[in-house]
Amino acid sequence: MAETKRLLLLRHAKSSWDDPALADHDRPLAARGRKAANLIGAHRRRERMRVSLVLCSSAQRARETLDLVGASGEIQIEHELYSASADQLLERLRHVPDEIDAVMLIGHNPAIQDLAVGLAGGASPLAVRKFPTGALATLCLTGPWRTLGAGHAELDAFVTPRELG
């Protein structure tokens, strides 16, 4: 039987719009976003969610979310994840080495939500729920990353900062 792998899909926490001169890529977290990321980080530690590899968008708000959520393992900040579609995120995940058993992907909507819904299948509760900033979906899958596709994962948990705070 194939080993179970875990995929944690995290939408960056709430960003600040205080400085309209900043490029979208450079917007930091708002105070509410920092609080939310800390709540998700505490939840991750409480639930002992171990991560072998973190793939994080290069956007400032995504990198700040990563810093506050915390994660062990290898961290890769990738500019391509900033504007990636769900299909592009899926293609990136298909290149994860098979020895990696737990990946956290930190990105943006609508791609993160679309990817989660697609992987979990249309009957997933994610298909009818909002995926707010700072929300974390945990999916389980079997088989190599290269075969990951629509309906190939099962939603194990979905938590929002509001539910934790």
Side-chain angles (χ1 to χ4, degrees):
M1 183 172 160
E3 179 182 334
T4 299
K5 297 183 187 308
R6 296 176 73 75
L7 175 60
L8 286 70
L9 297 176
L10 177 62
R11 183 177 175 196
H12 68 78
K14 182 76 174 161
S15 59
S16 172
W17 291 88
D18 289 348
D19 184 350
L22 278 180
D24 181 71
H25 185 272
D26 300 329
R27 285 189 294 114
L29 291 180
R32 186 174 121 202
R34 288 189 297 276
K35 178 182 176 190
N38 279 316
L39 287 168
I40 292 292
H43 169 74
R44 187 191 63 75
R45 288 183 293 280
R46 207 172 29 255
E47 297 295 319
R48 294 183 172 94
M49 295 178 181
R50 189 183 50 73
V51 176
S52 305
L53 173 64
V54 177
L55 302 173
C56 182
S57 161
S58 61
Q60 180 67 27
R61 59 194 178 272
R63 290 181 287 128
E64 287 183 24
T65 299
L66 168 60
D67 289 344
L68 294 171
V69 167
S72 57
E74 181 182 349
I75 296 173
Q76 295 181 13
I77 307 297
E78 300 183 4
H79 185 72
E80 297 77 24
L81 300 179
Y82 170 64
S83 59
S85 67
D87 287 342
Q88 290 167 323
L89 294 178
L90 176 60
E91 188 57 33
R92 173 61 186 94
L93 288 169
R94 286 178 177 154
H95 288 90
V96 170
D98 284 334
E99 61 271 12
I100 301 291
D101 64 347
V103 174
M104 177 186 288
L105 175 60
I106 303 174
H108 309 269
N109 252 10
I112 284 285
Q113 180 172 6
D114 292 347
L115 177 63
V117 169
L119 290 175
S124 164
L126 290 175
V128 294
R129 282 192 75 178
K130 288 188 177 186
F131 203 115
T133 53
L136 175 66
T138 303
L139 299 121
C140 295
L141 55 126
T142 55
W145 292 104
R146 68 183 173 278
T147 64
L148 189 60
H152 286 183
E154 183 177 321
L155 180 65
D156 184 50
F158 182 72
V159 64
T160 68
R162 179 171 284 168
E163 294 166 348
L164 299 173

